[in-house]
Amino acid sequence: MPPIRTSTRTRKPPPEGFDEIEDTLLEFQNSMKDAENASHEGKKRYETTWPIFQIVHQRSRYIYDLYYEKEAISKTLYDWLLKNGYADAMLIAKWKKQGYEKLCCLRCIQTKETNFKSTCICRVPKDTLKEGKDIQCVSCGCRGCASGD
Amino acid sequence: MDDLPVRPPAGLPPLAPGWTEHKAPSGHMYYYNRDTGKSTYTRPIADFHSFHQPSSAFPPPSAPSGAFANADLFNPLTTAPNFNPLTQQAPIHHGGFPPQSFPRGGGHHRGGPRGGQNNFSDRRRQPEDRPKHRNDIPSCAPWVLVKTKLGRRFVWNKDTNESFWKFPLDVVKAVVEFDRMEREKKERRARGDVSEEEDNAMAEVEAQLAAAEEEIQHEIVEVEGDVNMEDDEEYEEVEVTDDEGQEAAQPSKRQRTEEPAEDQPLEMGEDDIAWQLAAMEEDYAEEEEEEEEEEEGLPLTDEDCKALFMELLDDMHINPYTPWDKILDEGTLYDDERYKALPNMKARKECFTEWAKYKVQELKEQKAKQLKKDPRIPYLAFLHLYANPKLYWQEFRRKYKKEPEMKDPKLSDKDKEKLYRDHIKRLGMKQQELKFDLSALLKEQPLGTLNRASTLVTLPTSVLTDIRFISLPASTRDPLVETYISTLPAAPENAAAPGEEEAEAAKKRAEKGRRERALAERERRVREDKRKQERELAYGKGRLRDEEIELERAMRVGKAGLRGQLGSYEGDAQEGAGDGRE
């Protein structure tokens, strides 16, 4: 029987510039693992997924910033990162739209899944909310991601 | 005070040639001339009016002519062309400020230059004098009126660097006018009187002056340019007249304003009220001055703030690829003063983004400049050490699969295998052939990359990546290569210009220094403001208490009733009088 060719043997190296951001990405990866393995005790059922969403957001934001704001990574590396699941391409696609620059997660703009067919509470700007009201959305624990805030 | 004469080091000019300095057993310094065999206590100085000029004895402007008769012996200045015996002007031509012994005030020493013997005792008795502060004489441009520590005055020409104790005729008028103005100003300022002893006040004023001078000299060293105006203000603030007898009346203003009103006795006399009024006025004056100072101080623009913050990031060696949140979590930035240069977090984040962008560009350029290291170089070096004709490729790979050179993803497995097989094949060839190949390889190299300057460590990439280079064992190969290199001529000249880079770096450093100073300045101003506020608070408290006392006094109704009250209002000191009248 021929030996099974694993991906490690035929692995293509990541594009140029990956070594610089590798450490940070590893940290994100580790914190993601921690969040996955964290105990759910004392948490509400919907709270358990919040850290996952938050880390995904942070990591996507990091890559987005590197490519669009700081122009620190090349197009090829950016594409490679998206392809390998380091960042959420759909989320980044939303960030490019006006009014969605700070969007926390995709579930928060999914109107079909809510009771009143509207977006999440975290999409409401601070000044239209009641004074002194502290909100945290159910889907990802966001405290407000309207662009004007 | 940028062009105040510089004091000579240790206060003494250099000795004239031939003279040597010695210390007598009694502790006095004396000077000995080996050529003439003479010795003297007076210091022979080596400047253009040569020989026996005693530095400590400068011709006094008001010296009686009798003194000059014997002064001629010692003072060659009397024969100097620009010396006018009628006006008795004594030109002082060095940059330093020499006068140490001359008549003081009313003049108990009417000496002028004396013989060497009494000179030293004189020096000991007289405290050392030095310029304290200086005022530009209005409408008399290059002349500057300098006041010394002991309250004497002389004029100094900034342009020619001449100074005279006796004012020249044209300057006299301007000085008189200036004095009049000063007196008026003083009268305006000092309404109240101080009940302090003269000595005490004088000592304090002097201490303050010394401090101020030090500060100013500091500033001169650090910041040249627009601080001048500020210094002048500081000088005006602590004015000391040279008019004898008035010094006692001159209030030590700084000290008074710094003392809060708490220390005042409970009873308020008219004097005290006047005193407080003066203090209040003083505060206002100071405020105005400080405002001006603020305008004239080193400006700290937004760009400077940003640059400061960027410097901080640079100094902390922060990786531009790290996310901002992580940097904040680490908390290394907070301790630095420059962190506060920017007002809020948003600005800081923006600044960080900008800096990271710039920094990444820089890193990229650096990387591009660096020769891209061929992944084959370490691999071939590895093969050179470990390749063995007894091992097949699979065996070799299995044996060394943990080595970083074998795991390197930049070189594909296919290439690795091919290189290995080629290398093994070449190892079986004859020594002579291999040597010939190596010399052919070396000869192929252009002189620009391989020349006499290159060593075994700095061989060009084209050599290192060639399989012919590793075919021979190191013991035979290295001497061959070295001998070949030694036969090569030197490299063709490519003149690089590092001068521009250096200039750029120096400019950057200067800019950095300026910004840091500006930040320090701003902090100092903030501190000053705080202090002022505290002072005002204390002052307000004092006033409040005074009012309370007054109120209390008003509420104290004695047996005299209303009459007693009226009586106590009539005169301040007649509190008991109401009772007495009854």
Side-chain angles (χ1 to χ4, degrees), chain B residues 95-107:
Chain B
F97 179 80
Q100 302 215 320
S101 130
F102 35 73
R104 182 197 178 171

Side-chain angles (χ1 to χ4, degrees), chain B residues 164-180:
Chain B
F164 300 107
W165 287 110
K166 180 88 178 180
F167 304 157
L169 274 179
D170 48 344
V171 183
V172 164
K173 280 177 202 160
V175 169
V176 167
E177 178 69 13
F178 174 74
D179 276 353
R180 199 178 50 75

Side-chain angles (χ1 to χ4, degrees), chain B residues 446-454 485-494:
Chain B
L447 201 61
T449 52
L450 188 70
N451 48 48
R452 195 186 293 191
S454 49
I485 285 172
S486 62
T487 60
L488 286 172
E493 271 183 40
N494 297 329

